[in-house]
Amino acid sequence: MTHENSINESEIRDLIDKVRDNSISRKQFIRTMIGAGLTVPMAAQMLLTSGLAQAQTASTYKPTKRGGGGTLKLLWWQGATLLQPHFASGNKDQEGSRIFYEPLGAWDADGNLIPILTAEVPTLANGGVSRDGKSITWKLKRNVQWHDGVAFTADDVVFTAAYAADPTTSAITSGSYKNVKVTKVDSHTVRVEYQKPSPFWADPLVSAAGMIIPKHIFEAYKGATSRDAPANLKPVGTGPYKFADFKPGDMLRGVINNNYHEANRPYFDSIEMKGGGDAVSAARAVLQTGEYDYAWNLQVEDELLIRLEQGRKGKINIVSGGNIEFIQLNMADPWTETDGERSNPKSKHPILSEFAVRQAISLCVDRDGVQKFIYGRTGIATANFLNNPQRFVSKNTKYEFNPEKAAQVLEAAGWKKGADGIREKGGKKLKLVFQTSINGPRQKTQQIIKQAAQKAGIDMELKSVPGSVYFSSDPANTDTYTKLYADMQMFTTTMLQPDPEGIMDQYLSTEFASKANKWLGRNSTRYSNPEYDKAYLAARSEMDPVKRAALFVRMNDMPINDIAIIPVVFRPSISAAVNNLVAPLSGWDNDLWLLKDWYKTT
């Protein structure tokens, strides 16, 4: 029996009480929790959600004056297409928005919550966390200005929460706000109230979902008119850089904010985020030529990255978090309209509704081969959707690659091979459209799966969509991953906090992507399971960390056992930076989460 199985909730509570009365140190507690199978971020989170102040994150920022650093040149090969963080369904648009907008707090590499627009992180000791776990009080920084000179106040925070929660706004971040009440206490204090005790209260107003937008700019464009706001493309934020120019999908420019609310920041005089191209050329432009300072999301074969690093102009950053490259099988019908829309949650997929077909597809996914021949260090084969922190990792799942067994499963289910080698049943051919974004490793992964599926008698048509289109939030675009107008698709979903609550809402029946919410609902598989919904709601208010972890393990297992999703590889964040760039990164937040602290050494 492992230590993790032998430690129980009462022992954990006793340990937390000992930290509270200084009988043991934070470090001793964290060491004990690591022995019980937790990661450092999760152990830190247990102390934070128990109202104990966390270790202060030491700043590594060295510059002694604002500006003077020239232009910071970023290469985002999937270019941003909008700059409204609450519509940013793709990571690329979150990152573009993060240049200008800031949340109250953000997650560092160790899973610590650090203050950005808040004066301090709420705790029991400072009165920010209520003893019943139902109320959080945030004290805001004073003397912060929006880029147009207007003062930042509690009114902006309350407005942001109401804006995102309004169902007619159709915000991608609505799940973080629809079950909370955010009220103004005074000009620089807000209170967040929960209907039930909240073990993970640091979701609304924090990290990617928490970017605060100015009331005076967006108030005229809330609800049904939210898409018409000029500031969706011309942001006015509080961040270290002010908006200069934007060509969607191509180039985004910002200039130094000389009124930024932290001394000696930012270092750079201007910033450029170049979009387009591909991950390989982006890696080359930093590692080999040094033409750019930083390249994001390098989903590139590891063998090639190792070769490019020999150019000695830059280095690869491998940052662990919770990102997962996985396949979604469409539970709805993408080819027939129901109530005027394809992939309507009310419909059923004509082929994938059959479990035997989904089982056969899963048996054709060679995860070990994908890791060995494509990803190497940058993608670890996995049977789980949740892979980090360790406390939430299921031991119940397994995967198997066996095309011959897939053929047997289909044969037993009545799918017979035709003269062309493709199976059919009831007049339906076993033909599927498999889509993903244009990217070398993804196309190679598609090919590996297609070849194995062919052996089993499944015909897959491979579709590749430019990343700027695939991850777009444009409701008129038919090729977005949230619409899923295909039978199956593959992409990476990011885990932007050291807790599963924000990533596991993707399988809630209340989060279906649909015409009604402009396809910004989080559930693009249209998977529905009442037991999943029940477990998720229970986890949101379960204050016992052991019981809560068990609920998330169950949630991980449900869509995997139902084969609505097929995990492929667990992906650390991979980026490249020139050798003299100091860029603090976190696997629990956007790459640009601490852009204010980026600088170059001489």
Side-chain angles (χ1 to χ4, degrees), residues 222-287:
K222 56 188 179 183
T225 61
S226 60
R227 297 281 164 168
D228 302 329
N232 291 342
L233 296 174
K234 294 181 178 180
V236 178
T238 58
Y241 299 97
K242 298 167 72 170
F243 175 79
D245 182 56
F246 181 41
K247 294 180 177 62
D250 179 18
M251 178 64 83
L252 172 59
R253 290 188 175 90
V255 295
I256 191 169
N257 176 10
N258 284 312
N259 293 317
Y260 189 61
H261 52 87
E262 290 198 36
N264 305 326
R265 293 169 172 87
Y267 169 79
F268 296 100
D269 302 304
S270 60
I271 185 169
E272 293 180 355
M273 177 185 273
K274 173 66 177 170
D278 56 57
V280 173
S281 60
R284 186 171 286 117
V286 174
L287 299 172

Side-chain angles (χ1 to χ4, degrees), residues 14-330:
D14 287 344
L15 286 168
I16 289 171
D17 287 339
K18 286 178 179 177
V19 176
R20 186 173 283 116
D21 64 20
N22 296 316
S23 300
I24 64 171
S25 69
R26 290 174 51 86
K27 283 186 178 178
Q28 288 172 304
F29 173 83
I30 288 171
R31 276 200 296 269
T32 303
M33 291 299 101
I34 289 170
L38 273 73
T39 60
V40 173
M42 195 55 212
Q45 271 304 293
M46 290 173 73
L47 293 175
L48 179 61
T49 53
S50 298
L52 289 161
Q54 60 192 22
Q56 291 301 303
T57 304
S59 174
T60 59
Y61 190 72
K62 297 288 194 297
T64 55
K65 70 179 180 103
R66 177 171 290 156
T71 300
L72 174 63
K73 299 180 73 176
L74 310 176
L75 195 46
W76 248 250
W77 54 275
Q78 291 174 11
T81 52
L82 63 79
L83 302 173
Q84 165 45 285
H86 297 281
F87 297 156
S89 61
N91 183 263
K92 63 186 179 60
D93 294 331
Q94 291 173 7
E95 298 278 9
S97 299
R98 201 70 177 260
I99 293 173
F100 310 104
Y101 292 111
E102 298 177 301
L104 298 192
W107 299 108
D108 74 4
D110 291 327
N112 292 314
L113 183 60
I114 69 162
I116 303 293
L117 288 175
T118 187
E120 59 185 5
V121 172
T123 64
L124 266 178
N126 64 25
V129 178
S130 67
R131 294 201 171 272
D132 64 4
K134 290 184 179 181
S135 173
I136 305 298
T137 301
W138 294 90
K139 294 184 182 300
L140 309 181
K141 272 189 177 180
R142 294 180 180 270
N143 303 315
V144 177
Q145 291 183 349
W146 294 102
H147 292 155
D148 60 4
V150 175
F152 161 73
T153 70
D155 291 329
D156 299 303
V157 179
V158 172
F159 171 79
T160 298
Y163 175 95
D166 185 341
T168 60
T169 300
S170 297
I172 190 75
T173 55
S174 64
S176 298
Y177 297 93
K178 60 188 176 186
N179 294 312
V180 300
K181 181 183 178 185
V182 180
T183 55
K184 175 182 175 179
V185 177
D186 61 37
S187 67
H188 284 80
T189 310
V190 297
R191 182 173 293 118
V192 182
E193 295 174 83
Y194 297 84
Q195 296 167 359
K196 296 179 179 178
S198 179
F200 188 71
W201 52 261
D203 177 28
L205 311 176
V206 169
S207 186
M211 287 184 255
I212 310 301
I213 59 175
K215 178 180 179 180
H216 68 283
I217 297 291
F218 285 97
E219 190 171 26
Y221 299 96
K222 56 188 179 183
T225 61
S226 60
R227 297 281 164 168
D228 302 329
N232 291 342
L233 296 174
K234 294 181 178 180
V236 178
T238 58
Y241 299 97
K242 298 167 72 170
F243 175 79
D245 182 56
F246 181 41
K247 294 180 177 62
D250 179 18
M251 178 64 83
L252 172 59
R253 290 188 175 90
V255 295
I256 191 169
N257 176 10
N258 284 312
N259 293 317
Y260 189 61
H261 52 87
E262 290 198 36
N264 305 326
R265 293 169 172 87
Y267 169 79
F268 296 100
D269 302 304
S270 60
I271 185 169
E272 293 180 355
M273 177 185 273
K274 173 66 177 170
D278 56 57
V280 173
S281 60
R284 186 171 286 117
V286 174
L287 299 172
Q288 203 168 60
T289 70
E291 181 186 354
Y292 285 86
D293 297 312
Y294 184 86
W296 156 91
N297 188 21
L298 296 182
Q299 195 167 3
V300 176
E301 292 90 328
D302 195 27
E303 180 186 352
L304 180 54
L305 289 177
I306 291 167
R307 285 208 309 270
L308 290 174
E309 276 188 297
Q310 292 169 4
R312 301 187 184 281
K313 292 281 178 67
K315 57 189 179 296
I316 288 293
N317 304 304
I318 301 178
V319 183
S320 185
N323 301 348
I324 176 73
E325 178 87 358
F326 73 120
I327 294 166
Q328 293 182 336
L329 302 181
N330 200 342

